[in-house]
Amino acid sequence: MTETTTIRPITDADLGTIVELNQDALEGVGPLDLDSAAALVDMAHQALVMEDDGDIAGFVITLPTDAPYDSSRYRWFEDRLEDYVYLDRIVVSADHRRKGVASKLYDAIEGDLPIALEVYDHNEGSLAFHDGRGFRKVGELTEDGPTNIMMVRPAA
């Protein structure tokens, strides 16, 4: 990363790149198109990109409680938690992986509320990363596909 790295809110001009990055990372996140990306950003608690020399190195989207989000994983947390933010997705571009982008994006979203998220049970790297950041398993959810490890990190 360079000295011109910034974290800023996602804009409409970023949506095409965000969709492209997301679709290149489907092993860890669900699919997005322009409409669903715009809808997520509109309902987001936080929607941030990290720029590195003008390139989007990664992005993160969190949702507040009581969002009109049609996701069984989000609903799982809604049924169990009160005040929290749901980390819907964090994606780092292939060119910027292993350079601290995810850690900096996590630093930007951590605050006064617990963070809830899920990780596919076969994604050992992500499970280890989240364990190292203080996330703890609070349950599992298995639907049509892999088992989701449901995790929560207390407020910072």
Side-chain angles (χ1 to χ4, degrees):
M1 286 188 300
T2 66
E3 292 182 24
T4 57
T5 300
T6 58
I7 295 177
R8 62 168 176 77
I10 292 172
T11 67
D12 288 344
D14 299 323
L15 292 178
T17 302
I18 285 169
V19 168
E20 187 177 306
L21 291 176
N22 189 89
Q23 295 307 97
D24 287 343
L26 291 178
E27 72 280 354
V29 296
L32 276 182
D33 59 25
L34 284 174
D35 290 339
S36 58
L40 270 177
V41 170
D42 284 347
M43 71 175 89
H45 176 260
Q46 292 175 296
L48 305 171
V49 294
M50 175 182 272
E51 276 189 327
D52 184 29
D53 270 344
D55 291 331
I56 293 180
F59 71 93
V60 61
I61 299 173
T62 65
L63 300 172
T65 56
D66 297 324
Y69 188 41
D70 185 23
S71 161
S72 59
R73 292 164 304 284
Y74 175 77
R75 293 287 159 227
W76 190 93
F77 287 112
E78 281 287 285
D79 291 344
R80 290 163 177 81
L81 302 176
E82 291 191 23
D83 290 327
Y84 72 102
V85 293
Y86 175 70
L87 194 151
D88 182 67
R89 65 193 67 225
I90 184 166
V91 175
V92 177
S93 78
D95 294 341
H96 291 88
R97 291 189 183 139
R98 304 278 184 239
K99 296 180 181 178
V101 173
S103 292
K104 289 182 183 201
L105 287 168
Y106 272 86
D107 290 346
I109 63 164
E110 292 171 347
D112 296 338
L113 294 173
I115 298 172
L117 56 82
E118 77 281 341
V119 176
Y120 293 143
D121 64 346
H122 62 268
N123 193 339
E124 292 180 19
S126 183
L127 289 167
F129 173 83
H130 287 97
D131 183 61
R133 289 199 69 90
F135 285 84
R136 297 295 172 248
K137 178 180 174 180
V138 294
E140 293 184 4
L141 177 65
T142 303
E143 295 180 315
D144 303 323
T147 297
N148 294 279
I149 305 301
M150 313 307 271
M151 303 180 87
V152 174
R153 179 172 188 246

